[in-house]
Coordinates of all heavy atoms in Angstrom, one line a residue:
M14 N 12.2 2.2 -0.1 CA 11.1 2.5 0.7 C 11.5 2.5 2.2 O 12.4 1.7 2.6 CB 10.0 1.5 0.5 CG 8.8 1.7 1.3 SD 7.4 0.6 1.1 CE 7.1 0.7 -0.7
N15 N 10.9 3.3 2.9 CA 11.2 3.3 4.4 C 10.6 2.2 5.1 O 9.7 1.6 4.7 CB 10.9 4.7 5.0 CG 9.5 5.0 5.0 OD1 8.7 4.1 5.4 ND2 9.1 6.2 4.8
Y16 N 11.1 1.9 6.3 CA 10.7 0.8 7.1 C 9.2 1.0 7.5 O 8.5 0.1 7.5 CB 11.5 0.8 8.4 CG 11.1 -0.2 9.4 CD1 11.3 -1.6 9.2 CD2 10.5 0.1 10.6 CE1 10.9 -2.5 10.0 CE2 10.1 -0.8 11.5 CZ 10.2 -2.2 11.2 OH 9.9 -3.1 12.2
I17 N 8.8 2.2 7.9 CA 7.4 2.5 8.2 C 6.5 2.1 7.2 O 5.5 1.4 7.4 CB 7.2 3.9 8.7 CG1 8.0 4.3 10.0 CG2 5.7 4.2 8.9 CD1 8.0 5.7 10.3
A18 N 6.8 2.5 5.9 CA 5.9 2.2 4.8 C 5.8 0.8 4.6 O 4.6 0.2 4.4 CB 6.4 3.0 3.6
A19 N 6.9 0.0 4.6 CA 6.8 -1.5 4.5 C 6.0 -2.0 5.5 O 5.1 -3.0 5.2 CB 8.3 -2.0 4.5
E20 N 6.1 -1.7 6.8 CA 5.4 -2.2 7.8 C 3.8 -1.9 7.7 O 3.0 -2.7 8.0 CB 5.8 -1.6 9.3 CG 7.1 -2.1 9.7 CD 6.9 -3.7 10.1 OE1 6.0 -4.0 10.8 OE2 7.7 -4.5 9.6
R21 N 3.5 -0.7 7.3 CA 2.2 -0.3 7.1 C 1.5 -1.2 5.9 O 0.3 -1.4 6.1 CB 2.0 1.2 6.9 CG 2.3 1.9 8.3 CD 1.8 3.3 8.2 NE 2.0 3.9 9.6 CZ 1.9 5.1 9.9 NH1 1.6 6.0 9.0 NH2 2.0 5.5 11.1
L22 N 2.2 -1.3 4.9 CA 1.7 -2.1 3.8 C 1.3 -3.5 4.3 O 0.2 -4.0 4.0 CB 2.7 -2.3 2.6 CG 2.8 -1.1 1.8 CD1 3.9 -1.3 0.7 CD2 1.5 -0.8 1.1
R23 N 2.3 -4.1 5.0 CA 2.0 -5.4 5.7 C 0.7 -5.4 6.6 O -0.1 -6.3 6.5 CB 3.2 -5.9 6.3 CG 3.0 -7.4 6.8 CD 4.2 -7.8 7.6 NE 4.0 -9.1 8.1 CZ 4.8 -9.7 9.0 NH1 5.8 -9.1 9.4 NH2 4.5 -10.9 9.5
A24 N 0.8 -4.4 7.5 CA -0.4 -4.3 8.5 C -1.7 -4.1 7.7 O -2.7 -4.8 8.2 CB -0.1 -3.2 9.5
L25 N -1.7 -3.3 6.7 CA -3.0 -3.0 6.1 C -3.5 -4.3 5.4 O -4.7 -4.6 5.5 CB -2.9 -1.9 5.0 CG -2.9 -0.5 5.5 CD1 -2.3 0.4 4.5 CD2 -4.1 -0.1 6.0
R26 N -2.7 -5.1 4.8 CA -3.0 -6.3 4.1 C -3.4 -7.3 5.1 O -4.5 -7.9 5.0 CB -1.8 -6.8 3.4 CG -2.1 -8.2 2.7 CD -0.9 -8.8 1.9 NE 0.3 -9.0 2.7 CZ 0.5 -10.1 3.7 NH1 -0.5 -10.9 3.7 NH2 1.5 -10.2 4.3
E27 N -2.7 -7.5 6.2 CA -3.1 -8.5 7.2 C -4.4 -8.2 8.0 O -5.2 -9.0 8.3 CB -1.9 -8.7 8.2 CG -0.8 -9.4 7.6 CD 0.4 -9.6 8.5 OE1 0.5 -9.0 9.6 OE2 1.3 -10.4 8.2
D28 N -4.5 -6.8 8.3 CA -5.7 -6.4 9.0 C -7.0 -6.5 8.2 O -8.0 -6.7 8.7 CB -5.6 -4.9 9.5 CG -4.6 -4.7 10.5 OD1 -4.1 -5.6 11.1 OD2 -4.2 -3.5 10.7
N29 N -6.8 -6.7 6.9 CA -8.0 -6.8 6.0 C -8.1 -8.3 5.5 O -8.8 -8.6 4.6 CB -7.9 -5.9 4.9 CG -8.2 -4.4 5.3 OD1 -9.4 -4.1 5.5 ND2 -7.2 -3.7 5.6
D30 N -7.3 -9.2 6.0 CA -7.3 -10.6 5.7 C -7.0 -10.9 4.2 O -7.8 -11.8 3.6 CB -8.6 -11.2 6.1 CG -8.7 -11.2 7.6 OD1 -7.7 -11.4 8.3 OD2 -9.9 -11.0 8.1
Y31 N -6.0 -10.2 3.6 CA -5.7 -10.5 2.2 C -4.2 -11.1 2.2 O -3.4 -11.0 3.1 CB -5.5 -9.2 1.4 CG -6.9 -8.5 1.0 CD1 -7.2 -7.4 1.7 CD2 -7.7 -9.2 0.2 CE1 -8.4 -6.9 1.5 CE2 -9.0 -8.6 -0.1 CZ -9.3 -7.4 0.6 OH -10.6 -6.8 0.3
T32 N -4.0 -12.0 1.2 CA -2.7 -12.6 1.1 C -1.9 -11.7 0.1 O -2.4 -10.9 -0.6 CB -2.8 -14.0 0.4 OG1 -3.5 -13.8 -0.9 CG2 -3.7 -14.9 1.2
Q33 N -0.6 -11.9 0.1 CA 0.3 -11.2 -0.7 C -0.2 -11.4 -2.1 O -0.1 -10.5 -3.0 CB 1.7 -11.6 -0.5 CG 2.3 -11.0 0.7 CD 3.8 -11.3 0.8 OE1 4.4 -12.1 0.1 NE2 4.4 -10.6 1.7
R34 N -0.5 -12.7 -2.5 CA -0.9 -13.1 -3.9 C -2.1 -12.2 -4.3 O -2.2 -11.8 -5.5 CB -1.2 -14.5 -3.9 CG -1.4 -15.1 -5.4 CD -1.5 -16.6 -5.4 NE -0.4 -17.2 -4.8 CZ 0.8 -17.5 -5.4 NH1 0.9 -17.1 -6.7 NH2 1.7 -18.2 -4.9
E35 N -3.1 -12.0 -3.4 CA -4.3 -11.2 -3.7 C -3.9 -9.8 -4.1 O -4.5 -9.3 -5.0 CB -5.4 -11.4 -2.6 CG -5.9 -12.8 -2.6 CD -6.8 -13.0 -1.3 OE1 -6.4 -12.4 -0.2 OE2 -7.9 -13.5 -1.4
I36 N -3.1 -9.3 -3.3 CA -2.7 -7.9 -3.5 C -1.9 -7.7 -4.7 O -2.1 -6.7 -5.5 CB -2.0 -7.3 -2.2 CG1 -3.0 -7.3 -0.9 CG2 -1.5 -5.9 -2.4 CD1 -4.3 -6.6 -1.2
A37 N -1.0 -8.7 -4.9 CA -0.2 -8.7 -6.1 C -1.1 -8.7 -7.4 O -0.9 -8.0 -8.4 CB 0.8 -9.8 -6.1
A38 N -2.2 -9.5 -7.4 CA -3.1 -9.6 -8.5 C -3.8 -8.2 -8.7 O -4.0 -7.8 -9.9 CB -4.2 -10.7 -8.2
L39 N -4.2 -7.6 -7.6 CA -4.7 -6.2 -7.7 C -3.9 -5.2 -8.4 O -4.3 -4.4 -9.2 CB -5.1 -5.7 -6.3 CG -5.6 -4.2 -6.1 CD1 -7.0 -4.0 -6.7 CD2 -5.5 -3.8 -4.7
L40 N -2.5 -5.3 -8.1 CA -1.6 -4.5 -8.6 C -1.1 -4.9 -10.0 O -0.3 -4.2 -10.6 CB -0.4 -4.3 -7.6 CG -0.7 -3.7 -6.2 CD1 0.5 -3.8 -5.3 CD2 -1.4 -2.3 -6.4
K41 N -1.5 -6.1 -10.4 CA -0.9 -6.7 -11.6 C 0.6 -6.8 -11.7 O 1.3 -6.4 -12.5 CB -1.5 -5.9 -12.9 CG -3.0 -5.9 -12.9 CD -3.3 -5.1 -14.1 CE -4.9 -5.1 -14.3 NZ -5.7 -4.5 -13.3
C42 N 1.1 -7.4 -10.5 CA 2.5 -7.7 -10.4 C 2.6 -9.0 -9.7 O 1.7 -9.6 -9.3 CB 3.2 -6.6 -9.5 SG 2.8 -6.5 -7.8
S43 N 3.9 -9.5 -9.7 CA 4.1 -10.8 -9.1 C 4.1 -10.8 -7.6 O 4.3 -9.7 -7.0 CB 5.5 -11.4 -9.5 OG 6.5 -10.7 -8.9
Q44 N 3.8 -11.9 -6.9 CA 3.8 -12.0 -5.4 C 5.2 -11.7 -4.9 O 5.3 -11.0 -3.9 CB 3.3 -13.3 -5.0 CG 3.2 -13.5 -3.5 CD 4.5 -14.0 -2.9 OE1 5.3 -14.7 -3.6 NE2 4.9 -13.6 -1.7
V45 N 6.2 -12.0 -5.6 CA 7.6 -11.8 -5.2 C 7.8 -10.3 -5.2 O 8.3 -9.7 -4.3 CB 8.6 -12.6 -6.1 CG1 10.0 -12.1 -5.8 CG2 8.4 -13.9 -5.9
S46 N 7.3 -9.6 -6.2 CA 7.6 -8.1 -6.3 C 6.8 -7.5 -5.2 O 7.4 -6.5 -4.6 CB 7.1 -7.6 -7.6 OG 7.9 -7.9 -8.7
Y47 N 5.6 -7.9 -4.9 CA 4.8 -7.3 -3.8 C 5.6 -7.5 -2.5 O 5.6 -6.7 -1.6 CB 3.4 -7.8 -3.8 CG 2.7 -7.1 -2.6 CD1 2.3 -5.8 -2.7 CD2 2.6 -7.8 -1.4 CE1 1.7 -5.1 -1.7 CE2 1.9 -7.2 -0.4 CZ 1.6 -5.8 -0.5 OH 1.0 -5.2 0.6
S48 N 6.1 -8.8 -2.3 CA 6.7 -9.0 -1.0 C 7.9 -8.2 -0.8 O 8.2 -7.8 0.3 CB 7.2 -10.6 -0.9 OG 8.2 -10.8 -1.8
H49 N 8.6 -7.8 -1.9 CA 9.7 -6.8 -1.8 C 9.3 -5.5 -1.3 O 10.1 -4.8 -0.6 CB 10.4 -6.7 -3.1 CG 11.3 -8.0 -3.4 ND1 12.0 -8.1 -4.6 CD2 11.4 -9.2 -2.7 CE1 12.7 -9.3 -4.6 NE2 12.2 -9.9 -3.6
Y50 N 8.0 -5.0 -1.6 CA 7.5 -3.8 -1.1 C 7.3 -3.9 0.4 O 7.6 -3.0 1.1 CB 6.2 -3.5 -1.7 CG 6.2 -3.3 -3.2 CD1 5.0 -3.6 -4.0 CD2 7.3 -3.0 -4.0 CE1 4.9 -3.5 -5.3 CE2 7.2 -2.9 -5.3 CZ 6.0 -3.2 -6.0 OH 6.0 -3.1 -7.4
E51 N 6.9 -5.0 0.9 CA 6.5 -5.3 2.2 C 7.7 -5.4 3.2 O 7.7 -5.1 4.4 CB 5.6 -6.4 2.5 CG 4.1 -6.2 2.2 CD 3.2 -7.3 2.8 OE1 3.8 -8.2 3.5 OE2 2.1 -7.2 2.4
I52 N 8.9 -5.8 2.6 CA 10.1 -5.9 3.4 C 11.1 -4.8 3.1 O 12.1 -4.6 3.7 CB 10.8 -7.3 3.1 CG1 11.2 -7.5 1.7 CG2 10.0 -8.5 3.7 CD1 12.0 -8.8 1.4
G53 N 10.5 -3.8 2.3 CA 11.4 -2.7 2.1 C 12.5 -2.7 1.2 O 13.4 -1.9 1.1
R54 N 12.5 -3.8 0.4 CA 13.6 -4.1 -0.4 C 13.5 -3.3 -1.8 O 14.5 -3.0 -2.4 CB 13.8 -5.6 -0.8 CG 14.9 -6.0 -1.7 CD 15.1 -7.4 -1.8 NE 15.4 -8.0 -0.6 CZ 15.4 -9.4 -0.3 NH1 15.0 -10.2 -1.2 NH2 15.8 -9.8 0.8
R55 N 12.2 -2.9 -2.1 CA 12.0 -2.2 -3.3 C 11.0 -1.0 -3.0 O 10.2 -1.2 -2.1 CB 11.3 -3.0 -4.4 CG 12.1 -4.0 -5.1 CD 11.3 -4.8 -6.0 NE 11.7 -4.8 -7.4 CZ 11.3 -5.3 -8.4 NH1 10.1 -5.9 -8.3 NH2 11.8 -5.3 -9.5
D56 N 11.2 0.2 -3.6 CA 10.3 1.1 -3.6 C 9.1 0.8 -4.4 O 9.1 0.3 -5.5 CB 10.8 2.5 -4.1 CG 12.0 3.1 -3.2 OD1 12.0 2.8 -2.1 OD2 12.8 3.8 -3.7
I57 N 7.9 1.2 -3.8 CA 6.6 0.9 -4.5 C 6.4 1.9 -5.6 O 6.5 3.2 -5.3 CB 5.5 0.8 -3.5 CG1 4.2 0.3 -4.2 CG2 5.3 2.1 -2.7 CD1 3.1 -0.1 -3.2
P58 N 6.0 1.6 -6.7 CA 5.7 2.6 -7.8 C 4.5 3.5 -7.4 O 3.7 3.0 -6.6 CB 5.4 1.8 -9.0 CG 6.0 0.4 -8.8 CD 6.0 0.2 -7.3
I59 N 4.5 4.8 -7.8 CA 3.5 5.7 -7.4 C 2.1 5.2 -7.8 O 1.2 5.2 -7.0 CB 3.7 7.0 -8.0 CG1 5.0 7.7 -7.4 CG2 2.6 8.0 -7.9 CD1 5.4 9.0 -8.1
D60 N 2.0 4.5 -9.0 CA 0.6 4.0 -9.3 C 0.2 2.9 -8.5 O -1.0 2.8 -8.1 CB 0.6 3.6 -10.8 CG 1.6 2.5 -11.1 OD1 2.6 2.4 -10.6 OD2 1.2 1.7 -12.0
H61 N 1.0 2.1 -8.0 CA 0.7 1.0 -7.0 C 0.3 1.7 -5.7 O -0.6 1.3 -5.0 CB 1.8 0.1 -6.8 CG 2.1 -0.9 -8.0 ND1 2.9 -1.9 -8.0 CD2 1.4 -0.9 -9.1 CE1 2.9 -2.5 -9.1 NE2 1.9 -2.0 -9.9
L62 N 1.1 2.8 -5.2 CA 0.8 3.4 -4.0 C -0.6 4.1 -4.0 O -1.4 3.9 -3.0 CB 1.8 4.4 -3.8 CG 1.9 5.2 -2.4 CD1 2.2 4.1 -1.3 CD2 3.0 6.2 -2.4
V63 N -1.0 4.6 -5.1 CA -2.3 5.3 -5.3 C -3.3 4.2 -5.2 O -4.4 4.3 -4.6 CB -2.4 6.2 -6.5 CG1 -3.8 6.6 -6.8 CG2 -1.5 7.3 -6.3
T64 N -3.2 3.1 -6.1 CA -4.1 2.0 -6.0 C -4.4 1.4 -4.7 O -5.5 1.2 -4.2 CB -3.7 0.8 -7.0 OG1 -3.5 1.4 -8.3 CG2 -4.6 -0.3 -7.0
L65 N -3.4 1.2 -3.9 CA -3.4 0.7 -2.5 C -4.1 1.7 -1.5 O -5.0 1.3 -0.7 CB -2.1 0.2 -1.9 CG -1.5 -1.0 -2.7 CD1 -0.1 -1.2 -2.2 CD2 -2.3 -2.2 -2.4
S66 N -3.8 3.0 -1.7 CA -4.5 4.0 -0.9 C -6.0 3.9 -1.1 O -6.8 4.0 -0.2 CB -3.9 5.4 -1.3 OG -4.6 6.4 -0.8
E67 N -6.3 3.9 -2.4 CA -7.8 3.8 -2.7 C -8.4 2.6 -2.2 O -9.5 2.5 -1.7 CB -8.0 4.0 -4.2 CG -7.7 5.5 -4.7 CD -7.6 5.6 -6.2 OE1 -7.6 4.5 -6.9 OE2 -7.6 6.6 -6.8
F68 N -7.8 1.4 -2.4 CA -8.3 0.0 -2.1 C -8.5 0.0 -0.5 O -9.5 -0.5 -0.1 CB -7.3 -1.0 -2.5 CG -7.7 -2.4 -2.2 CD1 -8.7 -2.9 -2.9 CD2 -7.1 -3.1 -1.2 CE1 -9.1 -4.3 -2.7 CE2 -7.4 -4.4 -1.0 CZ -8.5 -5.0 -1.7
Y69 N -7.5 0.4 0.2 CA -7.7 0.3 1.6 C -8.4 1.6 2.2 O -8.7 1.5 3.4 CB -6.3 0.2 2.3 CG -5.6 -1.0 2.1 CD1 -4.3 -1.1 1.5 CD2 -6.2 -2.3 2.4 CE1 -3.7 -2.3 1.3 CE2 -5.6 -3.5 2.3 CZ -4.3 -3.5 1.6 OH -3.6 -4.6 1.4
G70 N -8.7 2.6 1.5 CA -9.4 3.8 2.0 C -8.5 4.6 3.0 O -9.0 5.1 3.9
V71 N -7.2 4.6 2.7 CA -6.4 5.4 3.6 C -5.5 6.4 2.7 O -5.5 6.3 1.5 CB -5.3 4.6 4.4 CG1 -6.0 3.7 5.3 CG2 -4.4 3.8 3.4
S72 N -4.9 7.4 3.3 CA -4.1 8.4 2.5 C -2.7 7.7 2.2 O -2.2 6.9 2.9 CB -3.9 9.6 3.3 OG -3.1 9.5 4.3
V73 N -2.1 8.3 1.1 CA -0.9 7.9 0.7 C 0.1 8.3 1.8 O 1.1 7.5 2.1 CB -0.5 8.5 -0.7 CG1 1.0 8.4 -1.0 CG2 -1.3 8.0 -1.8
D74 N -0.2 9.5 2.3 CA 0.7 9.9 3.4 C 0.8 9.0 4.6 O 1.8 8.7 5.3 CB 0.3 11.3 3.9 CG 0.7 12.5 3.0 OD1 1.3 12.2 2.0 OD2 0.2 13.6 3.3
Y75 N -0.4 8.3 4.9 CA -0.4 7.3 5.9 C 0.5 6.1 5.6 O 1.3 5.7 6.3 CB -1.8 6.8 6.2 CG -1.9 5.7 7.3 CD1 -1.7 5.9 8.5 CD2 -2.0 4.4 6.8 CE1 -1.7 4.9 9.4 CE2 -2.0 3.4 7.7 CZ -1.8 3.6 9.0 OH -1.7 2.6 9.9
I76 N 0.3 5.5 4.4 CA 1.1 4.5 4.0 C 2.6 4.8 4.1 O 3.4 4.0 4.5 CB 0.7 4.0 2.5 CG1 -0.7 3.4 2.5 CG2 1.8 3.0 2.0 CD1 -1.2 3.2 1.1
L77 N 3.0 6.0 3.6 CA 4.4 6.4 3.6 C 5.0 6.8 5.0 O 6.2 7.1 5.1 CB 4.6 7.6 2.6 CG 4.4 7.2 1.2 CD1 4.5 8.5 0.4 CD2 5.3 6.2 0.7
G78 N 4.1 6.9 6.1 CA 4.5 7.3 7.4 C 4.7 8.7 7.6 O 5.3 9.0 8.6
I79 N 4.2 9.6 6.7 CA 4.2 10.9 6.9 C 3.2 11.4 8.0 O 3.5 12.4 8.8 CB 3.9 11.6 5.5 CG1 5.0 11.3 4.6 CG2 3.8 13.2 5.8 CD1 4.8 11.7 3.2
T80 N 2.1 10.7 8.1 CA 1.1 11.0 9.1 C 0.7 9.7 9.8 O 0.7 8.6 9.1 CB 0.0 11.7 8.6 OG1 -1.0 12.1 9.6 CG2 -0.8 11.0 7.5
D81 N 0.1 9.8 11.0 CA -0.6 8.6 11.6 C -2.0 8.6 11.3 O -2.7 7.6 11.7 CB -0.3 8.6 13.0 CG 1.2 8.3 13.3 OD1 1.8 7.6 12.6 OD2 1.8 8.8 14.3
S82 N -2.6 9.6 10.6 CA -4.0 9.6 10.4 C -4.3 8.8 9.0 O -3.6 9.2 8.0 CB -4.4 11.1 10.2 OG -5.8 11.1 9.7
K83 N -5.2 7.9 9.1 CA -5.5 7.2 8.0 C -6.4 7.8 7.0 O -6.6 7.5 5.9 CB -6.2 5.8 8.3 CG -5.3 4.9 9.1 CD -6.1 3.6 9.4 CE -5.1 2.6 10.1 NZ -5.8 1.3 10.4
Q84 N -7.1 8.9 7.5 CA -8.0 9.7 6.7 C -7.5 10.1 5.4 O -6.5 10.8 5.3 CB -8.6 10.8 7.4 CG -9.8 11.5 6.8 CD -10.4 12.5 7.7 OE1 -10.1 12.7 8.9 NE2 -11.4 13.2 7.3
R85 N -8.2 9.9 4.4 CA -7.9 10.4 3.0 C -8.3 11.9 2.9 O -9.2 12.3 3.6 CB -8.6 9.6 2.0 CG -8.1 8.2 1.9 CD -8.8 7.4 0.7 NE -8.1 8.2 -0.4 CZ -8.4 7.7 -1.6 NH1 -9.2 6.7 -1.9 NH2 -7.8 8.3 -2.6
Y86 N -7.5 12.6 2.0 CA -7.8 13.9 1.7 C -9.1 14.1 0.8 O -9.3 13.2 0.0 CB -6.6 14.6 1.0 CG -5.5 14.7 1.9 CD1 -4.4 13.8 1.6 CD2 -5.2 15.5 3.0 CE1 -3.2 13.8 2.3 CE2 -4.1 15.5 3.8 CZ -3.1 14.6 3.3 OH -1.9 14.6 4.1
P87 N -9.8 15.2 1.0 CA -11.0 15.3 0.1 C -10.5 15.5 -1.4 O -9.3 16.1 -1.5 CB -11.7 16.6 0.6 CG -10.8 17.2 1.7 CD -9.7 16.2 2.0
E88 N -11.2 14.9 -2.2 CA -10.9 15.1 -3.7 C -11.0 16.6 -4.1 O -12.1 17.2 -3.8 CB -11.7 14.2 -4.5 CG -11.5 12.8 -4.2 CD -11.5 11.9 -5.4 OE1 -11.5 12.4 -6.5 OE2 -11.7 10.7 -5.1
T89 N -9.9 17.1 -4.7 CA -10.1 18.4 -5.3 C -10.0 18.5 -6.7 O -10.4 19.5 -7.4 CB -8.8 19.2 -4.7 OG1 -7.7 18.6 -5.1 CG2 -8.9 19.4 -3.1
V90 N -9.6 17.5 -7.3 CA -9.6 17.4 -8.9 C -10.5 16.3 -9.3 O -10.3 15.2 -8.9 CB -8.1 17.1 -9.3 CG1 -8.0 17.0 -10.8 CG2 -7.2 18.2 -8.8
P91 N -11.4 16.6 -10.2 CA -12.4 15.5 -10.6 C -11.6 14.5 -11.4 O -10.7 14.8 -12.1 CB -13.4 16.2 -11.4 CG -12.8 17.6 -11.7 CD -11.7 17.9 -10.7
K92 N -11.9 13.2 -11.1 CA -11.4 12.1 -11.9 C -12.0 12.1 -13.2 O -13.2 12.3 -13.4 CB -11.6 10.8 -11.1 CG -10.7 10.6 -10.0 CD -11.0 9.3 -9.3 CE -10.2 9.1 -8.0 NZ -10.2 7.8 -7.4
G93 N -11.3 11.6 -14.2 CA -11.9 11.4 -15.5 C -11.1 11.8 -16.6 O -11.1 11.7 -17.7

C-alpha cells in the first residue's frame, strides 16, 4: 500500500474517534492486521477497502490517494 493510503486510513479513523480495535472488528480481522494497513506494511484487501469506503462515506479513490475529493461516486449498479 502506498504511504498516502496508509495515512488516510489513519486520519479517517482518528477523525471519527475510532480505535484500531473497533475498525478491525468492523473488518473482521485482528487489530495487528489492521495496524499493518495503517503503517503501509500490508496492502488492504479490496473487500476491506470497499467496507471502509462505505463506512466513512468516502470514495475508494480518496483512500488510495488517487483524488483529494472525499465524495463518493453515484451508484450505477444496483446492489443486491
Side-chain angles (χ1 to χ4, degrees):
M14 180 182 299
N15 66 40
Y16 175 75
I17 294 172
E20 285 292 311
R21 288 197 173 168
L22 284 177
R23 180 178 179 197
L25 285 166
R26 179 182 57 78
E27 290 178 346
D28 290 349
N29 288 281
D30 296 322
Y31 289 106
T32 64
Q33 285 186 347
R34 187 173 306 276
E35 290 171 318
I36 299 303
L39 170 73
L40 299 175
K41 297 179 177 70
C42 69
S43 72
Q44 181 271 326
V45 171
S46 290
Y47 179 76
S48 73
H49 287 180
Y50 304 150
E51 281 194 9
I52 61 175
R54 187 172 291 168
R55 287 177 124 178
D56 287 337
I57 187 168
I59 292 172
D60 59 326
H61 288 182
L62 191 59
V63 171
T64 297
L65 291 171
S66 168
E67 292 172 348
F68 182 73
Y69 291 124
V71 299
S72 70
V73 170
D74 285 356
Y75 174 77
I76 294 173
L77 294 176
I79 295 169
T80 182
D81 289 332
S82 173
K83 292 182 179 182
Q84 186 173 356
R85 295 188 63 179
Y86 297 106
E88 295 211 19
T89 56
V90 178
K92 290 184 180 181

